Amino acid sequence: MLKKITRIAAVAAAAALVLSGCAATTADTDSAEGGLIGVSMPTQSSTRWISDGESIKAELEAQGFTVDLQYAEDDIPTQVSQLEGMLTKGAKALIIAAIDGTQLTDVLQAAADASVPVIAYDRLIRDSANVNYYATFDNFKVGVQQATSLLVGMGVFASEDSTSADGPNAAGPWNIELVAGSLDDNNAFFFFNGAMSILQPLIDSGVLVVKSGQTDIEQVATLRWDGAVAQKRMEDILVGNYASDTLHGVLSPYDGLSRGVIAALVDAGYTKDTLPTIVGQDAETASVQSMLDGEQYSTIFKDTRELAKVAVAMAVAILNGAEPEVNDTSTYDNGVKVVPSFLLTPYIVTVDNYKELLIDSGYINEADLVLP
Ligand code: BGC
């Protein structure tokens, strides 16, 4: 809270300097020739966004830009006022990971009026024509991978290449529950729809059973991707449906939610040996540790260092009057237009390949893990 107030105060102070005609920039925005770029991230409560912010800043600074990096701690008005502050300080471009992709229309109009290009970072910004490009991952594929990995962990699929029930536990029936992300994040729909493209046929055929009956995204969503919300919902589901039955698998779209789900299951008496198969996303250190401890089964690795490079390249290209590279011009309709996008590739991580994908690539530090 204190940090948030300090940050808001800093933005206000910078705005006051502009209004009073004094130097419009802080010392750190004076040095580079490239000018100031505003980078707006949703929250520091998840390690992935901290890494994202650091990578974007480093990449921009390496190219001679100065950076105003702000975190809005999942508060929409804070994000809007931070963006306004960046425009007031003279940002030449904005790179934005939105908290609520539908709430930035006015501030993006102000950006457009000032000819400031906008890159949507990881999360699509909706309902605005003033989004120039979108840098993200193949989000539908993330969902497909999460469901596939869940089924491999449960033994319903023989391997990550399976497309039908061909594993040792193919017959079922197995009990699963579904968790989705925040409904104000466009990605939540892509992850859920990708996952359900794999799970729904098996629910229809009776191999998988969702005892709670909660299978619509509206029923299984988790506002602001909050792990405590997912934990509470799982507690209620366990009390209501699993007093005398066992849960075998949980689809979870984000490591922070998976950790909440695991906490609820452990409280209800599940142990390392009896926990259901649980998936996740983001390869957060705490969840890689959980995997090594035999709790979470898998996660999805999205190399945010690469995403940062793509987003920065887009912004720099626009500022240089060039066309950014894209590889998708059809998938991401934001309600006003299809936003030209560059989609990076996500990877399934289990204890079998985490070293190669996460440690050897330097994404996480082995010293931060307690190895079994
Ligand atoms: C991101 C995920 C992340 C989630 C919660 C989504 O928009 O794509 O990587 O797990 O937000 O922060």
Side-chain angles (χ1 to χ4, degrees):
M1 186 58 181
L2 192 61
K3 269 197 212 144
K4 195 195 293 181
I5 291 168
T6 313
R7 246 176 270 121
I8 293 168
V11 170
L17 278 178
V18 175
L19 292 175
S20 66
C22 297
T25 52
T26 59
D28 122 294
T29 57
D30 272 335
S31 52
E33 289 172 10
L36 179 69
I37 310 282
V39 179
S40 174
M41 294 285 118
T43 176
Q44 298 186 84
S45 67
S46 151
T47 52
R48 82 146 280 190
W49 298 115
I50 297 174
S51 310
D52 282 295
E54 284 168 357
S55 299
I56 299 169
K57 188 166 188 282
E59 192 66 30
L60 282 167
E61 286 175 349
Q63 299 197 35
F65 292 91
T66 50
V67 178
D68 185 7
L69 168 62
Q70 308 263 357
Y71 288 86
E73 301 318 323
D74 272 340
D75 184 61
I76 299 162
T78 301
Q79 183 161 47
V80 171
S81 77
Q82 287 176 342
L83 287 164
E84 287 165 353
M86 290 169 190
L87 291 173
T88 307
K89 285 187 243 174
K92 292 166 67 174
L94 298 174
I95 297 176
I96 306 171
I99 295 165
D100 181 330
T102 66
Q103 297 295 314
L104 300 178
T105 311
D106 291 350
V107 70
L108 294 197
Q109 188 56 51
D113 293 346
S115 302
V116 173
V118 171
I119 310 299
Y121 185 85
D122 196 59
R123 297 174 172 175
L124 185 65
I125 298 173
R126 297 192 53 86
D127 304 340
S128 171
N130 303 313
V131 185
N132 298 66
Y133 289 91
Y134 180 32
T136 192
F137 290 82
D138 184 336
N139 293 309
F140 189 87
K141 182 169 181 176
V142 168
V144 168
Q145 290 175 327
Q146 287 170 330
T148 301
S149 179
L150 176 66
L151 294 170
V152 173
M154 293 172 66
V156 175
F157 276 6
S159 79
E160 289 171 7
D161 297 325
S162 301
T163 51
S164 61
D166 57 357
N169 299 333
W174 305 108
N175 297 324
I176 65 163
E177 292 295 337
L178 311 172
V179 178
S182 197
L183 293 178
D184 51 13
D185 181 348
N186 196 62
N187 287 349
F189 293 86
F190 277 76
F191 301 151
F192 190 72
N193 291 340
M196 290 308 268
S197 73
I198 303 294
L199 298 178
Q200 191 65 55
L202 294 165
I203 294 173
D204 293 343
S205 68
V207 174
L208 302 176
V209 178
V210 183
K211 286 199 76 199
S212 70
Q214 298 175 14
T215 54
D216 293 337
I217 189 167
E218 286 77 13
Q219 295 172 301
V220 305
T222 315
L223 184 65
R224 298 282 121 75
W225 302 88
D226 185 341
V229 172
Q231 181 171 349
K232 174 77 178 72
R233 177 168 164 262
M234 186 51 62
E235 281 165 10
D236 293 345
I237 286 175
L238 291 173
V239 169
N241 304 275
Y242 294 93
S244 56
D245 227 330
T246 303
L247 182 56
H248 303 109
V250 181
L251 173 77
S252 166
Y254 155 53
D255 287 345
L257 301 185
S258 312
R259 295 196 294 272
V261 165
I262 290 168
L265 288 159
V266 168
D267 277 353
Y270 285 82
T271 65
K272 267 172 207 181
D273 296 331
T274 61
L275 275 170
T277 303
I278 302 161
V279 298
Q281 172 171 207
D282 289 345
E284 294 201 330
T285 303
S287 289
V288 175
Q289 184 66 56
S290 173
M291 285 162 47
L292 293 175
D293 293 343
E295 295 176 339
Q296 189 166 318
Y297 173 70
S298 67
T299 186
I300 304 294
F301 171 46
K302 302 191 300 190
D303 195 334
T304 55
R305 298 166 299 187
E306 294 303 314
L307 185 62
K309 282 186 195 150
V310 170
V312 167
M314 284 174 163
V316 173
I318 300 172
L319 293 175
N320 288 336
E323 285 247 325
E325 189 186 343
V326 296
N327 62 10
D328 185 300
T329 52
S330 61
T331 306
Y332 287 101
D333 186 333
N334 80 347
V336 175
K337 69 177 200 183
V338 176
V339 184
S341 308
F342 194 96
L343 313 189
L344 287 156
T345 305
Y347 299 95
I348 298 173
V349 186
T350 65
V351 287
D352 295 330
N353 65 355
Y354 84 96
K355 270 205 170 122
E356 178 195 332
L357 284 176
L358 304 176
I359 308 291
D360 296 353
S361 76
Y363 192 73
I364 65 174
N365 197 341
E366 190 159 43
D368 293 334
L369 297 170
V370 181
L371 300 181

